[in-house]
Amino acid sequence: MSSIKIPKPEEMIRINYKPPETPWMDTPVDFRPGTWSYSGAAKNLVYLGMPNPRAWQPYEEDWKLPENWKEIILEGMRERLDKYRSFRLFMDICVRCGACADKCHFYIGGGDPKNMPVLRAELLRSVYRRYFTESGKRFGRLAGARELTVDVLKEWFYYFYQCTECRRCSVYCPYGIDQAEITIMGRELLNLVGCNINWVIEPVANCFRTGNHLGIQPGGIKDMLEFLAEDIEERTGVRVDVPINKKGADVLFVVPSGDYFADPGTYTCMGYMMLFHEIGLNYTFSTYASEGGNFGLFTSHEMVKRLNHKLYAEAKRLGVKWILGGECGHMWRVIHEYMDTMNGPADFLAEPVSPITGTLFENARSTKMVHIAEFTADLIKNGKLKLDPARNDHLRITFHDSCNPARAMGLLEEPRYVIKHAARYFYEMPEDTIREKTLCCGGGAGLGNDENIEMRMRGGMPRAMAVKHVREKHDVNRIACMCAIDRSTLSSLMDYWVPGVTVMGVHELLANALVMKGERERSTDLRGEPLKERTNDEAL
Ligand code: SF4
Ligand code: SF4
């Protein structure tokens, strides 16, 4: 965890919901340690050809903005209001009903009114009114309008980088206002004058240079996957193939790089490899499309498009039939919500049909990209896997619906179906914290860095409290999820709020239970932790 000192949980939980004495427009931002992220490093901006590369930090007085920064922002806003109908609509239609006000995890965990989604949007709307509406131009503050100043820009930076674009608030909005879209616009405008965070810009620059967020070179990817294959052999006695950049494979398999490079994602990656070996899937990893995640989503629409294109260019180059995607979160939002209009439809690929079961994945007809949870649930439904759920008896599991698979693609039943076939002790968290209403981990959208640690712990607190509930009620010791960011951020969140609960991917759980042909009797799970002893009645 970060070296920045943060309050202990018993202090953090005493949240002050009392709003400041001053009106919101007159309350300046306080960049206190632990609540903001470092600025984008100049070298990364230069690499990406982005404006105003320089050395600066958010807590400094002088942000070294270009002289005409105000014109740049207002012109950028005008362009986007013309281009994106949704943006103009979201600027106009909020009736301030307040239904979203207490739905954001950052407001729940921090008590800052500017983290109420309605007020977060007002930060941008107030400027929109001042420069783009008649009432705002004439009546100014009376009409909820305000001048664009450096302080307003700082406020945008602070609060648009305290929104994980999770879209929980949108579920409750009667008008369907999508706060994530507003945050994306806010960040996009900030980017025009070089105000961005390094935890987003560095992964994007790495992705352009090496194909993945972590900047791993092809040799490193190959070594890591082979290392995981050795681990699988050690645990199971089965040697799995590591197909890389294989032309003519049926399926290109794309994962977030966290899955093959960081624990506990590596166990999920071992799970994929074991599954594909067992069913004899003709697939390939790619060292070019070596990242399913798309941090462009946290930067600008243009960046999303450029990074998304890479996956399809590689599918074309390798001549695969279609793409299978691993347990990533925002990758799926890009694929399901933007891909078709940005780079699609992917007509050059074949219809996504499982070569094992013959199932056509209708929902992926246009994108030609299938989620691994759908693929595996279909295998189970068609009796293609031999599973021994008792091998997971040492785990008492709950499931965290990752924001994007849940809200951006409605993937609610498939992971539960897989979990229930792979394990016997599964407990849901309370209804208003799961499925479409799931609570964010607090570290998505590029906010999972160490310097922002207090906001992460505050933002993740509502999710952690729901885990605590099932820990106390059912002795839950493991939280499963389908997102690489979650696997990383939930780990520190659990250590802070609910010690004793660890994090795993769904395919790690599946692989623990997967009975492979030719395997030796397993005494440990994929992590090397001993399995629970069985009674005679429970022998497989
Ligand atoms: S973090 Fe999520 S709930 Fe909060 S404002 Fe952003 S999209 Fe809405
Ligand atoms: S729920 Fe929708 S309409 Fe109501 S205040 Fe929030 S954003 Fe505005």
Side-chain angles (χ1 to χ4, degrees):
M1 194 168 292
S2 159
S3 56
I4 291 175
K5 266 189 102 52
I6 60 170
K8 292 196 165 28
E10 52 278 18
E11 293 165 52
M12 183 94 84
I13 198 108
R14 288 199 291 271
I15 299 153
N16 179 10
Y17 290 107
K18 194 164 171 259
E21 303 285 328
T22 45
W24 72 265
M25 284 194 195
D26 304 323
T27 308
V29 175
D30 173 17
F31 283 94
R32 72 173 195 285
T35 67
W36 50 271
S37 307
Y38 293 143
S39 63
K43 67 172 182 142
N44 294 321
L45 271 67
V46 170
Y47 189 83
L48 293 165
M50 292 175 72
N52 202 17
R54 71 216 181 275
W56 70 287
Q57 285 303 340
Y59 60 83
E60 292 167 351
E61 184 64 28
D62 180 6
W63 278 21
K64 300 176 190 156
L65 297 169
E67 223 167 89
N68 60 340
W69 69 268
K70 194 166 162 179
E71 286 76 45
I72 295 172
I73 296 268
L74 291 175
E75 178 55 21
M77 203 164 182
R78 189 194 59 72
E79 272 173 27
R80 283 156 185 80
L81 287 164
D82 289 346
K83 189 171 172 189
Y84 301 104
R85 249 185 329 164
S86 55
F87 182 38
R88 188 172 281 275
L89 201 68
F90 295 158
M91 288 295 98
D92 281 330
I93 63 171
C94 172
V95 291
R96 297 198 190 85
C97 68
C100 63
D102 60 351
K103 304 303 185 294
C104 176
H105 47 287
F106 286 112
Y107 174 66
I108 302 171
D112 183 340
K114 287 182 190 167
N115 273 327
M116 291 179 179
V118 55
L119 195 43
R120 195 192 307 281
E122 277 300 301
L123 305 180
L124 208 54
R125 260 190 214 116
S126 51
V127 172
Y128 161 73
R129 287 195 198 101
R130 165 64 187 81
Y131 296 94
F132 299 95
T133 68
E134 261 326 296
S135 60
K137 283 180 195 164
R138 277 169 190 240
F139 304 115
R141 210 158 156 142
L142 275 180
R146 64 173 173 168
E147 294 288 328
L148 178 59
T149 63
V150 171
D151 281 347
V152 168
L153 198 76
K154 290 185 174 182
E155 199 179 45
W156 284 5
F157 182 90
Y158 191 69
Y159 291 102
F160 290 132
Y161 286 104
Q162 273 184 18
C163 166
T164 43
E165 302 179 7
C166 78
R167 300 167 80 230
R168 183 169 196 261
C169 50
S170 316
V171 171
Y172 297 86
C173 175
Y175 289 85
I177 294 174
D178 188 337
Q179 176 59 47
E181 292 284 342
I182 297 173
T183 292
I184 291 172
M185 286 301 170
R187 290 187 181 194
E188 199 162 314
L189 294 173
L190 286 163
N191 267 288
L192 296 178
V193 290
C195 295
N196 33 46
I197 66 171
N198 205 48
W199 201 252
V200 169
I201 290 302
E202 184 140 322
V204 172
N206 282 342
C207 226
F208 273 86
R209 200 173 55 253
T210 65
N212 56 75
H213 291 157
L214 302 173
I216 310 161
Q217 300 287 348
I221 296 168
K222 185 169 177 289
D223 287 352
M224 197 59 204
L225 291 172
E226 278 171 1
F227 178 71
L228 295 180
E230 280 166 27
D231 268 10
I232 292 170
E233 190 170 12
E234 201 176 290
R235 304 270 186 267
T236 67
V238 177
R239 181 76 199 180
V240 302
D241 280 347
V242 186
I244 297 174
N245 300 337
K246 179 173 137 189
K247 288 202 169 177
D250 284 347
V251 169
L252 167 64
F253 184 53
V254 178
V255 294
S257 52
D259 276 2
Y260 53 82
F261 229 75
D263 289 349
T266 46
Y267 304 113
T268 307
C269 196
M270 287 161 71
Y272 306 139
M273 292 160 80
M274 289 163 65
L275 174 70
F276 299 155
H277 171 90
E278 189 53 27
I279 60 174
L281 185 69
N282 180 12
Y283 81 106
T284 184
F285 285 102
S286 159
T287 53
Y288 172 61
S290 52
E291 178 65 69
N294 187 330
F295 269 41
L297 186 63
F298 314 138
T299 312
S300 69
H301 288 84
E302 180 57 24
M303 226 39 115
V304 183
K305 184 175 177 177
R306 288 163 72 182
L307 290 179
N308 172 256
H309 179 70
K310 171 189 64 178
L311 305 186
Y312 287 86
E314 182 66 339
K316 198 173 203 171
R317 185 183 77 86
L318 293 174
V320 300
K321 293 183 178 149
W322 50 274
I323 306 173
L324 183 62
E327 294 187 19
C328 183
H330 63 278
M331 161 167 97
W332 290 103
R333 173 145 186 233
V334 172
I335 297 297
H336 273 253
E337 297 197 336
Y338 300 116
M339 154 64 196
D340 250 1
T341 44
M342 278 184 171
N343 292 317
D347 288 339
F348 58 92
L349 293 174
E351 289 205 311
V353 174
S354 169
I356 315 301
T357 65
T359 299
L360 167 64
F361 296 98
E362 296 269 0
N363 56 330
R365 233 184 230 282
S366 177
T367 62
K368 311 290 194 310
M369 187 152 168
V370 176
H371 194 290
I372 184 82
E374 298 173 289
F375 180 76
T376 304
D378 174 65
L379 292 170
I380 297 173
K381 180 114 189 10
N382 284 285
K384 300 293 181 190
L385 302 182
K386 188 172 177 189
L387 297 171
D388 177 9
R391 283 186 190 165
N392 279 313
D393 276 3
H394 58 308
L395 303 176
R396 298 175 75 83
I397 298 144
T398 192
F399 178 64
H400 162 70
D401 291 272
S402 302
C403 300
N404 285 305
R407 279 191 279 269
M409 64 184 299
L411 203 72
L412 306 171
E413 299 310 326
E414 291 84 346
R416 288 177 167 79
Y417 187 81
V418 175
I419 290 170
K420 285 174 186 168
H421 282 81
R424 301 200 295 182
Y425 300 107
F426 170 58
Y427 306 94
E428 291 277 20
M429 287 181 272
E431 267 308 308
D432 58 348
T433 73
I434 57 170
R435 299 174 183 268
E436 293 94 338
K437 295 175 184 166
T438 186
L439 284 155
C440 178
C441 65
L447 307 187
N449 56 65
D450 280 354
E451 63 270 20
N452 185 42
I453 189 72
E454 180 177 332
M455 280 322 289
R456 278 172 58 193
M457 294 303 113
R458 287 192 181 281
M461 187 269 277
R463 166 45 78 224
M465 290 305 116
V467 178
K468 195 163 188 267
H469 174 78
V470 282
R471 171 123 177 107
E472 286 168 358
K473 199 165 170 198
H474 303 291
D475 207 16
V476 159
N477 59 7
R478 190 61 67 83
I479 180 167
C481 61
M482 291 198 304
C483 167
I485 290 179
D486 282 341
R487 280 191 280 280
S488 158
T489 59
L490 283 175
S491 294
S492 36
L493 190 75
M494 292 300 110
D495 287 348
Y496 181 81
W497 287 112
V498 204
V501 176
T502 47
V503 186
M504 77 190 316
V506 171
H507 280 75
E508 179 189 344
L509 188 77
L510 177 95
N512 279 343
L514 184 68
V515 180
M516 301 173 79
K517 289 181 269 310
E519 71 175 14
R520 65 164 173 262
E521 193 180 339
R522 288 200 223 168
S523 56
T524 70
D525 63 12
L526 292 194
R527 298 182 183 198
E529 291 171 9
L531 302 185
K532 202 169 172 190
E533 273 191 32
R534 296 166 190 257
T535 61
N536 283 342
D537 299 345
E538 286 177 332
L540 185 68

PDB file of all heavy atoms in Angstrom, residues 103-107 115-117 120 162-170 178-180 183 407 440, ligand 1:
ATOM      1  N   LYS A 103     -25.980   8.056  -4.622  1.00  0.00           N
ATOM      2  CA  LYS A 103     -25.681   6.763  -5.243  1.00  0.00           C
ATOM      3  C   LYS A 103     -24.212   6.582  -5.605  1.00  0.00           C
ATOM      4  O   LYS A 103     -23.790   5.486  -5.946  1.00  0.00           O
ATOM      5  CB  LYS A 103     -26.535   6.570  -6.518  1.00  0.00           C
ATOM      6  CG  LYS A 103     -28.036   6.695  -6.302  1.00  0.00           C
ATOM      7  CD  LYS A 103     -28.534   5.718  -5.256  1.00  0.00           C
ATOM      8  CE  LYS A 103     -30.045   5.722  -5.084  1.00  0.00           C
ATOM      9  NZ  LYS A 103     -30.603   6.972  -4.542  1.00  0.00           N
ATOM     10  N   CYS A 104     -23.457   7.671  -5.524  1.00  0.00           N
ATOM     11  CA  CYS A 104     -22.037   7.564  -5.889  1.00  0.00           C
ATOM     12  C   CYS A 104     -21.212   7.110  -4.681  1.00  0.00           C
ATOM     13  O   CYS A 104     -21.308   7.688  -3.595  1.00  0.00           O
ATOM     14  CB  CYS A 104     -21.526   8.907  -6.390  1.00  0.00           C
ATOM     15  SG  CYS A 104     -19.755   8.882  -6.755  1.00  0.00           S
ATOM     16  N   HIS A 105     -20.386   6.098  -4.906  1.00  0.00           N
ATOM     17  CA  HIS A 105     -19.573   5.565  -3.809  1.00  0.00           C
ATOM     18  C   HIS A 105     -18.605   6.600  -3.253  1.00  0.00           C
ATOM     19  O   HIS A 105     -18.220   6.529  -2.101  1.00  0.00           O
ATOM     20  CB  HIS A 105     -18.826   4.318  -4.284  1.00  0.00           C
ATOM     21  CG  HIS A 105     -18.153   4.504  -5.612  1.00  0.00           C
ATOM     22  ND1 HIS A 105     -18.869   4.567  -6.792  1.00  0.00           N
ATOM     23  CD2 HIS A 105     -16.861   4.669  -5.955  1.00  0.00           C
ATOM     24  CE1 HIS A 105     -18.028   4.758  -7.790  1.00  0.00           C
ATOM     25  NE2 HIS A 105     -16.801   4.832  -7.306  1.00  0.00           N
ATOM     26  N   PHE A 106     -18.179   7.562  -4.081  1.00  0.00           N
ATOM     27  CA  PHE A 106     -17.261   8.586  -3.560  1.00  0.00           C
ATOM     28  C   PHE A 106     -17.986   9.550  -2.624  1.00  0.00           C
ATOM     29  O   PHE A 106     -17.406  10.025  -1.651  1.00  0.00           O
ATOM     30  CB  PHE A 106     -16.578   9.351  -4.710  1.00  0.00           C
ATOM     31  CG  PHE A 106     -15.522   8.528  -5.398  1.00  0.00           C
ATOM     32  CD1 PHE A 106     -15.691   8.100  -6.696  1.00  0.00           C
ATOM     33  CD2 PHE A 106     -14.366   8.165  -4.723  1.00  0.00           C
ATOM     34  CE1 PHE A 106     -14.729   7.326  -7.319  1.00  0.00           C
ATOM     35  CE2 PHE A 106     -13.394   7.388  -5.328  1.00  0.00           C
ATOM     36  CZ  PHE A 106     -13.576   6.968  -6.633  1.00  0.00           C
ATOM     37  N   TYR A 107     -19.242   9.815  -2.927  1.00  0.00           N
ATOM     38  CA  TYR A 107     -20.019  10.650  -1.995  1.00  0.00           C
ATOM     39  C   TYR A 107     -20.338   9.851  -0.727  1.00  0.00           C
ATOM     40  O   TYR A 107     -20.155  10.345   0.392  1.00  0.00           O
ATOM     41  CB  TYR A 107     -21.314  11.148  -2.651  1.00  0.00           C
ATOM     42  CG  TYR A 107     -22.168  11.889  -1.651  1.00  0.00           C
ATOM     43  CD1 TYR A 107     -21.720  13.096  -1.110  1.00  0.00           C
ATOM     44  CD2 TYR A 107     -23.367  11.356  -1.188  1.00  0.00           C
ATOM     45  CE1 TYR A 107     -22.461  13.772  -0.149  1.00  0.00           C
ATOM     46  CE2 TYR A 107     -24.112  12.020  -0.229  1.00  0.00           C
ATOM     47  CZ  TYR A 107     -23.650  13.232   0.292  1.00  0.00           C
ATOM     48  OH  TYR A 107     -24.373  13.885   1.252  1.00  0.00           O
ATOM     49  N   ASN A 115     -19.091  15.355  -4.995  1.00  0.00           N
ATOM     50  CA  ASN A 115     -19.078  13.986  -5.501  1.00  0.00           C
ATOM     51  C   ASN A 115     -20.490  13.414  -5.647  1.00  0.00           C
ATOM     52  O   ASN A 115     -20.644  12.240  -5.997  1.00  0.00           O
ATOM     53  CB  ASN A 115     -18.214  13.086  -4.611  1.00  0.00           C
ATOM     54  CG  ASN A 115     -16.755  13.121  -5.031  1.00  0.00           C
ATOM     55  OD1 ASN A 115     -16.445  13.256  -6.211  1.00  0.00           O
ATOM     56  ND2 ASN A 115     -15.858  13.030  -4.072  1.00  0.00           N
ATOM     57  N   MET A 116     -21.514  14.229  -5.387  1.00  0.00           N
ATOM     58  CA  MET A 116     -22.862  13.814  -5.790  1.00  0.00           C
ATOM     59  C   MET A 116     -22.890  13.940  -7.307  1.00  0.00           C
ATOM     60  O   MET A 116     -22.508  14.989  -7.847  1.00  0.00           O
ATOM     61  CB  MET A 116     -23.915  14.749  -5.210  1.00  0.00           C
ATOM     62  CG  MET A 116     -24.097  14.667  -3.722  1.00  0.00           C
ATOM     63  SD  MET A 116     -25.360  15.889  -3.286  1.00  0.00           S
ATOM     64  CE  MET A 116     -25.459  15.637  -1.537  1.00  0.00           C
ATOM     65  N   PRO A 117     -23.340  12.900  -8.018  1.00  0.00           N
ATOM     66  CA  PRO A 117     -23.300  12.979  -9.481  1.00  0.00           C
ATOM     67  C   PRO A 117     -23.959  14.245 -10.030  1.00  0.00           C
ATOM     68  O   PRO A 117     -23.436  14.865 -10.956  1.00  0.00           O
ATOM     69  CB  PRO A 117     -24.057  11.721  -9.901  1.00  0.00           C
ATOM     70  CG  PRO A 117     -23.836  10.772  -8.759  1.00  0.00           C
ATOM     71  CD  PRO A 117     -23.800  11.595  -7.520  1.00  0.00           C
ATOM     72  N   ARG A 120     -21.499  16.984  -9.539  1.00  0.00           N
ATOM     73  CA  ARG A 120     -20.308  16.779 -10.381  1.00  0.00           C
ATOM     74  C   ARG A 120     -20.613  17.279 -11.810  1.00  0.00           C
ATOM     75  O   ARG A 120     -19.811  17.963 -12.422  1.00  0.00           O
ATOM     76  CB  ARG A 120     -19.923  15.298 -10.418  1.00  0.00           C
ATOM     77  CG  ARG A 120     -18.515  15.049 -10.951  1.00  0.00           C
ATOM     78  CD  ARG A 120     -18.269  13.577 -11.256  1.00  0.00           C
ATOM     79  NE  ARG A 120     -18.556  12.685 -10.152  1.00  0.00           N
ATOM     80  CZ  ARG A 120     -17.771  12.464  -9.109  1.00  0.00           C
ATOM     81  NH1 ARG A 120     -16.639  13.092  -9.017  1.00  0.00           N
ATOM     82  NH2 ARG A 120     -18.126  11.606  -8.168  1.00  0.00           N
ATOM     83  N   GLN A 162     -12.120  12.056  -9.782  1.00  0.00           N
ATOM     84  CA  GLN A 162     -12.679  11.348  -8.614  1.00  0.00           C
ATOM     85  C   GLN A 162     -13.988  10.693  -9.035  1.00  0.00           C
ATOM     86  O   GLN A 162     -14.877  10.480  -8.221  1.00  0.00           O
ATOM     87  CB  GLN A 162     -12.918  12.316  -7.460  1.00  0.00           C
ATOM     88  CG  GLN A 162     -11.689  12.501  -6.604  1.00  0.00           C
ATOM     89  CD  GLN A 162     -11.914  13.378  -5.397  1.00  0.00           C
ATOM     90  OE1 GLN A 162     -13.035  13.623  -4.977  1.00  0.00           O
ATOM     91  NE2 GLN A 162     -10.830  13.859  -4.828  1.00  0.00           N
ATOM     92  N   CYS A 163     -14.104  10.403 -10.301  1.00  0.00           N
ATOM     93  CA  CYS A 163     -15.264   9.655 -10.814  1.00  0.00           C
ATOM     94  C   CYS A 163     -14.682   8.473 -11.563  1.00  0.00           C
ATOM     95  O   CYS A 163     -13.821   8.647 -12.419  1.00  0.00           O
ATOM     96  CB  CYS A 163     -16.077  10.538 -11.766  1.00  0.00           C
ATOM     97  SG  CYS A 163     -17.286   9.622 -12.760  1.00  0.00           S
ATOM     98  N   THR A 164     -15.117   7.276 -11.222  1.00  0.00           N
ATOM     99  CA  THR A 164     -14.565   6.086 -11.872  1.00  0.00           C
ATOM    100  C   THR A 164     -15.359   5.695 -13.123  1.00  0.00           C
ATOM    101  O   THR A 164     -15.165   4.599 -13.649  1.00  0.00           O
ATOM    102  CB  THR A 164     -14.527   4.895 -10.889  1.00  0.00           C
ATOM    103  OG1 THR A 164     -15.753   4.863 -10.168  1.00  0.00           O
ATOM    104  CG2 THR A 164     -13.368   5.006  -9.925  1.00  0.00           C
ATOM    105  N   GLU A 165     -16.243   6.580 -13.561  1.00  0.00           N
ATOM    106  CA  GLU A 165     -17.038   6.323 -14.776  1.00  0.00           C
ATOM    107  C   GLU A 165     -17.788   4.995 -14.645  1.00  0.00           C
ATOM    108  O   GLU A 165     -17.934   4.258 -15.622  1.00  0.00           O
ATOM    109  CB  GLU A 165     -16.136   6.316 -16.021  1.00  0.00           C
ATOM    110  CG  GLU A 165     -15.369   7.607 -16.219  1.00  0.00           C
ATOM    111  CD  GLU A 165     -14.455   7.612 -17.443  1.00  0.00           C
ATOM    112  OE1 GLU A 165     -14.503   6.664 -18.236  1.00  0.00           O
ATOM    113  OE2 GLU A 165     -13.687   8.585 -17.588  1.00  0.00           O
ATOM    114  N   CYS A 166     -18.233   4.706 -13.421  1.00  0.00           N
ATOM    115  CA  CYS A 166     -18.821   3.384 -13.159  1.00  0.00           C
ATOM    116  C   CYS A 166     -20.283   3.288 -13.594  1.00  0.00           C
ATOM    117  O   CYS A 166     -20.822   2.234 -13.793  1.00  0.00           O
ATOM    118  CB  CYS A 166     -18.722   3.056 -11.680  1.00  0.00           C
ATOM    119  SG  CYS A 166     -19.959   3.901 -10.673  1.00  0.00           S
ATOM    120  N   ARG A 167     -20.973   4.427 -13.682  1.00  0.00           N
ATOM    121  CA  ARG A 167     -22.355   4.547 -14.162  1.00  0.00           C
ATOM    122  C   ARG A 167     -23.406   4.011 -13.184  1.00  0.00           C
ATOM    123  O   ARG A 167     -24.524   3.748 -13.567  1.00  0.00           O
ATOM    124  CB  ARG A 167     -22.506   3.878 -15.528  1.00  0.00           C
ATOM    125  CG  ARG A 167     -21.590   4.515 -16.548  1.00  0.00           C
ATOM    126  CD  ARG A 167     -21.468   3.707 -17.803  1.00  0.00           C
ATOM    127  NE  ARG A 167     -22.590   3.892 -18.673  1.00  0.00           N
ATOM    128  CZ  ARG A 167     -23.276   2.889 -19.205  1.00  0.00           C
ATOM    129  NH1 ARG A 167     -22.967   1.653 -18.916  1.00  0.00           N
ATOM    130  NH2 ARG A 167     -24.266   3.118 -20.010  1.00  0.00           N
ATOM    131  N   ARG A 168     -23.053   3.853 -11.928  1.00  0.00           N
ATOM    132  CA  ARG A 168     -24.077   3.420 -10.975  1.00  0.00           C
ATOM    133  C   ARG A 168     -25.161   4.483 -10.869  1.00  0.00           C
ATOM    134  O   ARG A 168     -26.353   4.177 -10.838  1.00  0.00           O
ATOM    135  CB  ARG A 168     -23.465   3.164  -9.597  1.00  0.00           C
ATOM    136  CG  ARG A 168     -24.486   2.639  -8.585  1.00  0.00           C
ATOM    137  CD  ARG A 168     -23.811   2.136  -7.319  1.00  0.00           C
ATOM    138  NE  ARG A 168     -24.723   1.326  -6.548  1.00  0.00           N
ATOM    139  CZ  ARG A 168     -25.417   1.753  -5.493  1.00  0.00           C
ATOM    140  NH1 ARG A 168     -25.282   3.001  -5.090  1.00  0.00           N
ATOM    141  NH2 ARG A 168     -26.230   0.944  -4.856  1.00  0.00           N
ATOM    142  N   CYS A 169     -24.760   5.740 -10.823  1.00  0.00           N
ATOM    143  CA  CYS A 169     -25.738   6.817 -10.669  1.00  0.00           C
ATOM    144  C   CYS A 169     -26.743   6.811 -11.819  1.00  0.00           C
ATOM    145  O   CYS A 169     -27.928   7.088 -11.618  1.00  0.00           O
ATOM    146  CB  CYS A 169     -25.029   8.160 -10.586  1.00  0.00           C
ATOM    147  SG  CYS A 169     -23.817   8.430 -11.888  1.00  0.00           S
ATOM    148  N   SER A 170     -26.287   6.456 -13.013  1.00  0.00           N
ATOM    149  CA  SER A 170     -27.167   6.483 -14.195  1.00  0.00           C
ATOM    150  C   SER A 170     -28.319   5.494 -14.060  1.00  0.00           C
ATOM    151  O   SER A 170     -29.392   5.712 -14.620  1.00  0.00           O
ATOM    152  CB  SER A 170     -26.381   6.146 -15.457  1.00  0.00           C
ATOM    153  OG  SER A 170     -25.164   6.825 -15.451  1.00  0.00           O
ATOM    154  N   ASP A 178     -26.100   9.909 -18.312  1.00  0.00           N
ATOM    155  CA  ASP A 178     -24.936   9.056 -18.103  1.00  0.00           C
ATOM    156  C   ASP A 178     -23.771   9.912 -17.599  1.00  0.00           C
ATOM    157  O   ASP A 178     -23.093  10.588 -18.372  1.00  0.00           O
ATOM    158  CB  ASP A 178     -24.579   8.376 -19.429  1.00  0.00           C
ATOM    159  CG  ASP A 178     -23.511   7.323 -19.260  1.00  0.00           C
ATOM    160  OD1 ASP A 178     -22.745   7.407 -18.274  1.00  0.00           O
ATOM    161  OD2 ASP A 178     -23.428   6.412 -20.104  1.00  0.00           O
ATOM    162  N   GLN A 179     -23.552   9.879 -16.299  1.00  0.00           N
ATOM    163  CA  GLN A 179     -22.510  10.711 -15.699  1.00  0.00           C
ATOM    164  C   GLN A 179     -21.128  10.347 -16.234  1.00  0.00           C
ATOM    165  O   GLN A 179     -20.255  11.210 -16.356  1.00  0.00           O
ATOM    166  CB  GLN A 179     -22.544  10.586 -14.180  1.00  0.00           C
ATOM    167  CG  GLN A 179     -21.440  11.326 -13.466  1.00  0.00           C
ATOM    168  CD  GLN A 179     -21.439  12.824 -13.743  1.00  0.00           C
ATOM    169  OE1 GLN A 179     -22.493  13.458 -13.666  1.00  0.00           O
ATOM    170  NE2 GLN A 179     -20.294  13.378 -14.093  1.00  0.00           N
ATOM    171  N   ALA A 180     -20.933   9.067 -16.565  1.00  0.00           N
ATOM    172  CA  ALA A 180     -19.617   8.676 -17.090  1.00  0.00           C
ATOM    173  C   ALA A 180     -19.325   9.435 -18.382  1.00  0.00           C
ATOM    174  O   ALA A 180     -18.193   9.852 -18.624  1.00  0.00           O
ATOM    175  CB  ALA A 180     -19.572   7.178 -17.334  1.00  0.00           C
ATOM    176  N   THR A 183     -18.207  12.840 -17.431  1.00  0.00           N
ATOM    177  CA  THR A 183     -16.828  12.793 -16.943  1.00  0.00           C
ATOM    178  C   THR A 183     -15.849  12.620 -18.104  1.00  0.00           C
ATOM    179  O   THR A 183     -14.801  13.269 -18.144  1.00  0.00           O
ATOM    180  CB  THR A 183     -16.659  11.644 -15.925  1.00  0.00           C
ATOM    181  OG1 THR A 183     -17.414  11.973 -14.759  1.00  0.00           O
ATOM    182  CG2 THR A 183     -15.219  11.423 -15.531  1.00  0.00           C
ATOM    183  N   ARG A 407     -23.050  -3.362 -15.961  1.00  0.00           N
ATOM    184  CA  ARG A 407     -23.915  -2.265 -16.439  1.00  0.00           C
ATOM    185  C   ARG A 407     -23.761  -1.966 -17.922  1.00  0.00           C
ATOM    186  O   ARG A 407     -24.693  -1.473 -18.538  1.00  0.00           O
ATOM    187  CB  ARG A 407     -23.631  -0.991 -15.633  1.00  0.00           C
ATOM    188  CG  ARG A 407     -24.335  -0.968 -14.299  1.00  0.00           C
ATOM    189  CD  ARG A 407     -24.251   0.398 -13.651  1.00  0.00           C
ATOM    190  NE  ARG A 407     -22.986   0.608 -12.982  1.00  0.00           N
ATOM    191  CZ  ARG A 407     -22.733   0.324 -11.714  1.00  0.00           C
ATOM    192  NH1 ARG A 407     -23.697  -0.176 -10.963  1.00  0.00           N
ATOM    193  NH2 ARG A 407     -21.567   0.549 -11.172  1.00  0.00           N
ATOM    194  N   CYS A 440     -18.840   0.178  -7.107  1.00  0.00           N
ATOM    195  CA  CYS A 440     -17.508   0.199  -7.723  1.00  0.00           C
ATOM    196  C   CYS A 440     -16.414  -0.146  -6.700  1.00  0.00           C
ATOM    197  O   CYS A 440     -16.568   0.086  -5.502  1.00  0.00           O
ATOM    198  CB  CYS A 440     -17.293   1.589  -8.289  1.00  0.00           C
ATOM    199  SG  CYS A 440     -15.702   1.862  -9.049  1.00  0.00           S
TER     200      CYS A 440
HETATM  201  S1  SF4 B   1     -18.119   7.420  -9.912  1.00  0.00           S
HETATM  202 FE1  SF4 B   1     -19.877   6.283 -10.759  1.00  0.00          FE
HETATM  203  S2  SF4 B   1     -21.593   6.769  -9.410  1.00  0.00           S
HETATM  204 FE2  SF4 B   1     -19.991   8.312  -9.054  1.00  0.00          FE
HETATM  205  S3  SF4 B   1     -20.528  10.004 -10.440  1.00  0.00           S
HETATM  206 FE3  SF4 B   1     -19.033   8.711 -11.514  1.00  0.00          FE
HETATM  207  S4  SF4 B   1     -20.299   7.321 -12.729  1.00  0.00           S
HETATM  208 FE4  SF4 B   1     -21.663   8.193 -11.150  1.00  0.00          FE
END
